[in-house]
Amino acid sequence: MAKIRLTLWILVGLALLGVAALQIMRPGKPESLNLTNANENNQRYSAPFELTAHTGQRFSSDSLDGRFRLMYFGYSFCPDVCPIDLAKITAALKTLESDGIDTDLIQPIFVSIDPERDTPEAMADYVNLFHPRLLGLTGSLEEVDALAKRFGVYYKKIPQSDGSDYLMDHLVVIFLMDQKGNYVRLFTNRDSADSIASALKPLLTTGR
Ligand code: NI
């Protein structure tokens, strides 16, 4: 575990320093999400859901009302992409905060698609590595699967031939939802932390 944690920290550090450079090295992932359909502001995204937070308490999406959501599906055992993307979300929010902008109106959320290993305790340890307000959500296989399907998030368990722990292949996009949970846009591996910060800034600085 110590080795895994060290590796994570190194990855987080690298990502914070050079997210843009790392994007080039990122392995290709299937993008099964239908991007043309992702533009719909419909029930698919905004319908309420319940999961279990990294605190161990049950979580209702109703508690997000009034806040924008940055939502990412992945798993805490992910060796490469998840830590980079979560570090990117963290870096985007920190960039805004260092400019004196209050980011409380944006809730960053990490939803596990590997709930068998991602217990609330595992999620709590993991989200601690990133933004202090990052919310980890996990649940039963059925709960997680239902939410991932609704968002069009592909994921698949990949057994390792050497018998070691499995990996999860999964869609890697960051969803931005409005204060009612309606879909706004996606960020992909082509978006840097700075470009995400630029996209979020108007949400936090206009009409307040
Ligand atoms: Ni991952």
Side-chain angles (χ1 to χ4, degrees):
M1 279 314 284
K3 191 175 164 198
I4 292 169
R5 178 58 53 89
L6 179 64
T7 308
L8 273 175
W9 274 114
I10 291 167
L11 280 166
V12 169
L14 280 174
L16 287 169
L17 286 171
V19 165
L22 281 167
Q23 296 308 314
I24 298 161
M25 293 153 54
R26 179 141 89 182
K29 290 276 177 179
E31 292 208 8
S32 67
L33 188 76
N34 185 334
L35 296 183
T36 51
N37 284 345
N39 241 337
E40 309 157 355
N41 284 352
N42 58 23
Q43 281 291 98
R44 183 173 148 203
Y45 298 97
S46 61
F49 63 85
E50 278 196 19
L51 286 170
T52 301
H54 67 264
T55 56
Q57 291 177 318
R58 286 296 283 175
F59 170 86
S60 163
S61 60
D62 290 346
S63 65
L64 296 170
D65 283 355
R67 274 176 294 164
F68 293 92
R69 307 109 203 245
L70 269 183
M71 202 150 150
Y72 186 81
F73 292 77
Y75 68 116
S76 76
F77 288 79
C78 185
D80 46 25
V81 183
C82 290
I84 291 171
D85 280 343
L86 292 171
K88 188 157 75 173
I89 289 171
T90 301
L93 294 175
K94 296 265 185 195
T95 297
L96 294 166
E97 288 156 13
S98 67
D99 287 344
I101 297 168
D102 182 356
T103 63
D104 283 359
L105 205 55
I106 296 176
Q107 178 62 56
I109 306 170
F110 177 56
V111 183
S112 174
I113 44 78
D114 183 19
E116 287 175 275
R117 287 184 295 189
D118 281 336
T119 60
E121 295 76 23
M123 292 293 273
D125 284 348
Y126 192 67
V127 295
N128 253 338
L129 298 170
F130 303 98
H131 193 274
R133 288 193 302 100
L134 179 62
L135 169 67
L137 294 178
T138 186
S140 69
L141 281 169
E142 293 74 23
E143 288 171 335
V144 162
D145 187 61
L147 191 63
K149 280 211 171 75
R150 239 169 63 188
F151 276 72
V153 171
Y154 153 93
Y155 67 96
K156 187 174 185 228
K157 191 184 276 193
I158 311 289
Q160 300 300 288
S161 53
D162 61 4
S164 65
D165 263 350
Y166 58 90
L167 297 176
M168 299 294 290
D169 196 8
H170 64 96
L171 179 76
V172 285
V173 298
I174 302 163
F175 294 91
L176 174 63
M177 265 88 63
D178 71 11
Q179 290 135 303
K180 291 180 179 148
N182 296 307
Y183 174 90
V184 176
R185 62 166 290 177
L186 293 174
F187 298 103
T188 71
N189 60 3
R190 290 179 290 279
D191 295 293
S192 67
D194 279 348
S195 69
I196 294 174
S198 301
L200 297 179
K201 192 172 179 180
L203 306 178
L204 301 172
T205 53
T206 54
R208 295 199 82 191

